[in-house]
Amino acid sequence: MKEYRSYTLYNYRTIPQIAALPKEIGDEIDIVGRVLPFKANNYVVEELIDWQQVETDPLFTLNFPRRGMLDSRHYAAVEKLVAQQAPQHLLDAKIQQIRLSLNPNPAGQEHNVPYLGEIKLRGIQHKYPETILFFPSQGQTCHAYCTFCFRWPQFSGMSGLKFAMKETDLLLRYLRMHHEVTDILFTGGDPMVMQAEKLSAYILPLLSPEFAHIHTIRIGTKSLAYWPYRYLTDSDSDDILRLFSHIVRSGKNLSVQAHFNHPRELSTDSVQRAIARIRSTGAQIRTQSPVMRHINDNPDLWCEMWRKQVDLNCIPYYMFVARDTGAKHYFELPLERCWNIFRRAYRKVSGVCRTVRGPSMSDHSGKIQLLGIQEVKGEKIFVLRFLQARNPAWVDIPFFAAYDPKATWFNQLKPAFGEEKFFFEKKQKPVIIKPFLFE
Ligand SMILES: *Cc1c(COP(=O)(O)O)cnc(C)c1O
Ligand code: SF4
């Protein structure tokens, strides 16, 4: 059994590899880690991070806060209060103020919270008709935290923004009334931090005949990358695998949506064994990751990652553009660069890896894929389409934005060809009627 040890601001200096680093690096973790999510564990520390190259190591950057992740004014403000040993309430107020300035709830996630009669279902998001996101309240933490995470208000005690629901009861009531829902995605945080017993309590009711309209149960998780022992040696690992087998045998599709940001996360013996065990239950594993500066902004790395995933029997699924939240200035890449990374990797891999779609931006209106850059009658444009849309009629219709070499997110783009609005922003719907006629 591998014993799980987590490291936070309170004990990270006890990590021998940290103690051996120049003192500034440790001090910077202390300052930045007060604002951004910070949690690492012994697997990440011992098996993933390359301590010989801490200055540039992507796995270190993924888990340990660095100075550059905070705006220099914010950094200086927190550093000063800490140095002065300012009273806790002053420090807390400053940190809260900084966090609120970092767009803690991007892409209007709060707009997707549905109602059951008068009851607001804070633990559910229902944005696309066929899929709901469910945030089980016990799954709102992770085995380690990503420094780029957009779910960080959930971990930082900003409870007003916490999407969580205690009971399965409301979920089931909602699903009884929504037969258009075919997929339920358990998400967090990370639902796989839950004990098998808790997870079963949420999932087993969904296997009963009245929920025959639910075809797919998905579990979004970073556990394979951060704590593969979840499926190997944790005290309830076997129960988890039995639950997975049971779901599959009940006739539903079980898809583990695994987050992998770097090929090294796929390289350890333990992750490979964990993947094999999950696959042996009949569950599928689909993979996704944002593309980010300092972590994975390199086409060869993506090529290697997708190939490795397919070797291990996983299905590459999404490449996302990093969200406009938290330390976004540190991780963000121009959209043009994201697309170049995508296509340079995509063109090198065979069709079995080309199940992946991206780069995709999860905007208020939907998941928008940057299909590419083209020139039409002398005007350089971005070609885009919805992979998922608030209004399903918008899906798959190419549309065009003016080329902008600096743009890093959809909200910075303007329609091409001097148009005032994108087709889906117009009140009338001439553009979207046509494809309907073909159906
Ligand atoms: C991505 C996403 C889904 C799932 O979409 P698929 O394309 O079916 O994987 C559901 N809800 C939200 C809010 C999403 O961002
Ligand atoms: S695993 Fe996911 S939810 Fe958890 S910190 Fe990383 S990005 Fe956030």
Side-chain angles (χ1 to χ4, degrees):
M1 168 146 179
K2 176 88 171 178
E3 200 185 323
Y4 171 81
R5 241 175 304 127
S6 77
Y7 297 113
T8 64
L9 271 189
Y10 300 103
N11 64 353
Y12 73 98
R13 289 190 200 259
T14 64
I15 303 172
Q17 291 91 335
I18 291 282
L21 293 176
K23 185 164 177 304
E24 308 88 77
I25 300 187
D27 293 345
E28 289 169 12
I29 293 170
D30 181 43
I31 302 299
V32 182
R34 288 167 190 259
V35 180
L36 297 175
F38 169 46
K39 177 161 128 189
N41 68 45
N42 49 326
Y43 171 72
V44 170
V45 164
E46 290 160 18
E47 300 190 49
L48 295 185
I49 292 173
D50 179 355
W51 293 96
Q52 302 309 311
Q53 334 222 11
V54 164
E55 297 294 337
T56 53
D57 186 53
L59 275 298
F60 179 88
T61 308
L62 193 58
N63 281 271
F64 285 86
R66 288 189 189 275
R67 185 183 190 118
M69 291 175 191
L70 275 194
D71 171 291
S72 55
R73 280 166 310 143
H74 290 158
Y75 187 94
V78 178
E79 189 181 35
K80 191 167 152 208
L81 289 173
V82 171
Q84 290 169 345
Q85 299 185 312
Q88 195 62 39
H89 71 275
L90 284 185
L91 195 55
D92 289 347
K94 186 74 216 170
I95 288 166
Q96 183 73 357
Q97 182 202 349
I98 296 174
R99 283 184 183 160
L100 287 172
S101 76
L102 297 176
N103 193 20
N105 196 16
Q109 294 175 78
E110 72 279 12
H111 296 305
N112 305 321
V113 177
Y115 282 82
L116 191 70
E118 299 281 288
I119 310 170
K120 197 167 183 189
L121 302 178
R122 296 216 121 257
I124 296 180
Q125 281 181 33
H126 193 183
K127 181 164 167 181
Y128 310 127
E130 73 286 354
T131 306
I132 66 163
L133 270 50
F134 178 59
F135 297 74
S137 57
Q138 287 106 338
Q140 301 311 308
T141 185
C142 303
H143 290 97
Y145 294 155
C146 310
T147 41
F148 65 80
C149 184
F150 75 93
R151 294 268 161 81
W152 55 276
Q154 285 159 237
F155 318 138
S156 316
M158 297 175 72
S159 53
L161 295 168
K162 203 161 170 167
F163 295 107
M165 187 162 61
K166 278 258 176 335
E167 303 139 37
T168 338
D169 183 45
L170 288 172
L171 168 72
L172 299 180
R173 276 165 63 191
Y174 188 77
L175 289 175
R176 275 184 204 111
M177 293 168 65
H178 289 270
H179 280 240
E180 75 279 16
V181 176
T182 60
D183 287 41
I184 167 158
L185 168 56
F186 286 80
T187 185
D190 191 334
M192 292 312 302
V193 301
M194 280 193 275
Q195 293 297 301
E197 201 188 353
K198 298 250 167 63
L199 192 61
S200 302
Y202 286 113
I203 292 182
L204 293 180
L206 297 168
L207 307 183
S208 72
E210 64 176 322
F211 298 111
H213 57 291
I214 306 297
H215 291 251
T216 295
I217 294 175
R218 305 194 213 180
I219 302 176
T221 183
K222 181 88 192 173
S223 55
L224 279 165
Y226 282 168
W227 191 252
Y229 303 105
R230 185 75 197 91
Y231 309 95
L232 299 174
T233 62
D234 280 3
S235 60
D236 60 346
S237 293
D238 291 346
D239 299 329
I240 288 287
L241 292 156
R242 270 192 290 273
L243 171 66
F244 284 10
S245 297
H246 181 68
I247 298 168
V248 173
R249 278 200 311 268
S250 82
K252 297 209 194 287
N253 178 270
L254 173 62
S255 183
V256 173
Q257 309 284 127
H259 303 198
F260 289 110
N261 307 122
H262 192 281
R264 205 185 300 155
E265 295 170 325
L266 294 151
S267 69
T268 67
D269 179 56
S270 43
V271 72
Q272 297 186 4
R273 282 188 295 129
I275 289 172
R277 284 201 89 189
I278 292 175
R279 296 286 292 117
S280 76
T281 65
Q284 296 174 329
I285 302 175
R286 290 186 171 74
T287 62
Q288 56 196 43
S289 170
V291 54
M292 292 166 292
R293 198 153 64 94
H294 301 299
I295 304 285
N296 56 21
D297 52 339
N298 171 341
D300 292 336
L301 179 154
W302 281 88
C303 186
E304 182 190 344
M305 186 156 72
W306 293 334
R307 281 190 182 142
K308 189 87 206 155
Q309 288 167 358
V310 170
D311 289 349
L312 296 171
N313 261 309
C314 303
I315 306 168
Y317 195 58
Y318 276 131
M319 176 205 266
F320 295 119
V321 179
R323 292 255 192 173
D324 49 349
T325 180
K328 71 150 195 281
H329 65 279
Y330 186 83
F331 295 110
E332 76 184 355
L333 294 164
L335 293 176
E336 177 169 27
R337 174 93 186 115
C338 297
W339 173 61
N340 275 314
I341 292 168
F342 182 86
R343 74 188 176 109
R344 287 187 181 130
Y346 192 81
R347 70 187 176 198
K348 280 198 206 158
V349 295
S350 82
V352 292
C353 297
R354 292 189 192 179
T355 48
V356 68
R357 290 159 307 156
S360 158
M361 288 167 273
S362 294
D363 178 68
H364 181 59
S365 49
K367 276 193 175 65
I368 301 173
Q369 180 186 18
L370 173 56
L371 283 167
I373 297 173
Q374 221 1 320
E375 213 175 288
V376 175
K377 295 198 169 173
E379 181 173 341
K380 208 167 172 185
I381 55 166
F382 285 131
V383 183
L384 305 149
R385 70 161 169 171
F386 283 103
L387 292 171
Q388 272 292 4
R390 183 169 292 286
N391 177 349
W394 302 340
V395 172
D396 224 21
I397 302 171
F399 63 101
F400 312 103
Y403 170 72
D404 177 349
K406 292 214 193 79
T408 56
W409 195 255
F410 180 72
N411 63 4
Q412 297 154 5
L413 300 182
K414 300 266 173 299
F417 312 120
E419 295 267 324
E420 270 183 19
K421 291 185 168 174
F422 291 111
F423 80 89
F424 57 93
E425 293 171 332
K426 295 177 182 167
K427 280 279 176 290
Q428 321 81 337
K429 31 182 184 174
V431 190
I432 59 173
I433 283 168
K434 238 183 177 176
F436 273 124
L437 298 177
F438 293 112
E439 282 175 359

